[in-house]
Structures are given as C-alpha cells and as structure tokens.
Amino acid sequence: MIDKTVASAEAVADIPDGASLAVGGFGLSGNPIVLIEALLAQGTRDLSVVSNNCGVDDWGLGVLLRARRIRKMTSSYVGENKEFERQFLSGELELELTPQGTLAEKLRAGGAGIAAFYTQTGVGTQVAEGGLPRRYDGSGGVAVASAPKDVRTFDVAGGAKEFVLEEAITTDFALVHALRGDRHGNLVFTKAARNFNPLAAMAGRICIAQVEELVEPGALDPDAVHLPGVFVHRIVAVGSDIEKRIERRTVAAEGK
C-alpha cells in the first residue's frame, strides 16, 4: 500500500539552501507552522518563498524571515509584518508584489502545466508597465525594479481589451496545511485555509502536507476531497491541538 506519512523533521530534511517554496496559508489561517518550524530548526537558508503573505513577526513565515532565512518573497499582501517592512526597505529582502488573484492563478497554472496566461489585472499600472521596486539599495533608492510585461489586445465580450502576460509559478517544494488527509495524500481543507493551500500544493514539485487528522485510505468521501493525492508526496500528522492564531482579534463589548 502507498503510505506517504513521515515525521516532520524527515519531511523537510532534503530541502536545501537556495530552494524555492510555495507555502499555503491565508493570513495566519492554514499556515503549515509545524513544517515551517522544522525547516527553521534545520537551518535551511537563502529561500525564495511564494505565499499570499509572510505571516507576522513571530508566527507563520515570519519566524523564517526573522531568522534571515528568506532571500525573496513573492506575495500579494505584506502589511502585518514590521520585520518584513524593515528588511525590504533596508535592501535585505527582495519582493515580487503580485495581485492576489493573479498570484492564485499563477500557482494554479503552474500546477496544471500551463506556462503563462493573459489577464486584465494590472493593465495600465506598474504591474504591467514595470518599475515596481523589487529591492531597495538601503539608502531610499531602488536597486532592482520590475521589468515591463507583454501586453496584447484581445476581443473579449464584444470589445477590444488589453491583457497582460503573466508567467506561471512552479517551485521546488510546497508546504501546506490541511484539516484531514489519508495515507495516499488525498487532502480536505477547511474554510479560509482552502484559499491558497491547494494552489501552493499544486505548484510544488514535491508537496509536503501537515494534517490535523490522518485517516486510512477509503475513509474520505471522494466528493469531499479538495486535493487528490497525486499532488502530494509526504504527509505529516500534527494533531488537532496545534496552536492556531489570527492576526487581529476584534470582539464587541458585552451587551452590544
């Protein structure tokens, strides 16, 4: 029988310095924190990471960033991490800022074997025209800026519209978190954790998934599977009592 289960340290042991990673999570929801901490303990550095965001200063991908393990981030939202801001503006970190829907499709396309696609998102902005800062020089100047992208006109919905070419993303490894998985690698996600985890999993040449509940093959309803095991190579069972965080907790006063 195919059994893809491994221990957390074993699962990330072959991720080398300089590797590229697609990492799941939407805000702090669905962060594969056990795998991230195993990678931190291993000492892997010079990573190029693709993820919706970079966690916060002491959680999620923020723990790798704080330890100076990340060389480049490709993200759509980076506003909750002060250390990220400091490293980027000081020239220590490269950033490829990407519209959120475009980032999702770049990951999905990479996993589906599609090399590139055209989208209207970003037309008429620096996303298409180039000039977005990717690395600062530490003195307030831009050391590296984004290059212009190909823009073409297509007849869509009865009119000519401009579209910008976006290349798909594939990475060496993917780290994801799922609610439930079986030993074959079939995964079920829950709520906001489903936003980027399946896409990151598809984009990684080797996908490593941490799951809260590990079940035997056949226990999952096939109609409930969000990601088939063909995309998943290693499974780490982490239990349901792992710590989970949110960025900002806002509650109403009692009686209101």
Side-chain angles (χ1 to χ4, degrees):
M1 183 188 77
I2 298 173
D3 188 347
K4 299 179 180 179
T5 57
V6 293
S8 58
E10 178 187 352
V12 302
D14 60 345
I15 299 180
D17 292 348
S20 59
L21 305 177
V23 182
F26 189 71
L28 299 186
S29 176
N31 279 208
I33 190 63
V34 173
L35 299 176
I36 290 171
E37 290 179 338
L39 196 60
L40 176 70
Q42 181 174 295
T44 309
R45 60 185 61 251
D46 198 32
L47 296 168
S48 177
V49 179
V50 182
S51 187
N52 176 58
N53 67 300
C54 197
V56 294
D57 291 286
D58 62 346
W59 192 251
L61 285 168
V63 300
L64 289 175
L65 184 75
R66 184 178 57 187
R68 309 292 183 86
R69 304 294 178 77
I70 299 177
R71 175 186 61 81
K72 176 187 176 183
M73 280 296 306
T74 300
S75 295
S76 61
Y77 178 69
V78 295
E80 298 289 343
N81 193 316
K82 290 183 173 61
E83 177 61 12
F84 189 105
E85 177 186 17
R86 190 200 67 76
Q87 288 191 26
F88 179 49
L89 295 179
S90 67
E92 300 170 31
L93 177 70
E94 183 178 346
L95 169 64
E96 187 172 350
L97 197 59
T98 306
Q100 189 168 85
T102 300
L103 180 61
E105 181 61 13
K106 284 163 77 78
L107 290 165
R108 191 205 67 82
I114 298 169
F117 58 91
Y118 280 95
T119 176
Q120 286 186 281
T121 303
V123 170
T125 74
Q126 287 181 304
V127 171
E129 297 167 0
L132 276 174
R134 291 185 60 167
R135 183 184 291 277
Y136 283 97
D137 62 9
S139 302
V142 177
V144 180
S146 64
K149 297 177 181 177
D150 181 51
V151 176
R152 289 184 57 186
T153 301
F154 296 91
D155 286 325
V156 176
K161 297 179 176 64
E162 289 189 328
F163 290 74
V164 59
L165 181 68
E166 293 284 357
E167 296 185 7
I169 292 175
T170 56
T171 58
D172 300 322
F173 293 86
L175 307 180
V176 301
H177 172 93
L179 173 67
R180 192 173 294 111
D182 65 23
R183 296 180 185 275
H184 288 175
N186 299 301
L187 301 181
V188 176
F189 303 92
T190 185
K191 299 181 175 66
R194 190 178 171 187
N195 283 341
F196 270 89
N197 272 296
L199 305 172
M202 291 174 65
R205 297 183 186 92
I206 296 176
C207 174
I208 307 166
Q210 65 171 58
V211 298
E212 295 183 41
E213 181 185 359
L214 179 66
V215 300
E216 295 302 320
L220 297 178
D221 179 352
D223 282 341
V225 171
H226 297 137
L227 187 77
V230 67
F231 289 108
V232 180
H233 303 84
R234 301 167 194 168
I235 293 277
V236 177
V238 297
S240 59
D241 59 346
I242 58 172
E243 184 179 3
K244 300 176 184 178
R245 298 191 190 180
I246 60 173
E247 292 96 329
R248 300 174 185 269
R249 183 180 299 276
T250 303
V251 297
E254 187 175 357
K256 294 186 178 180

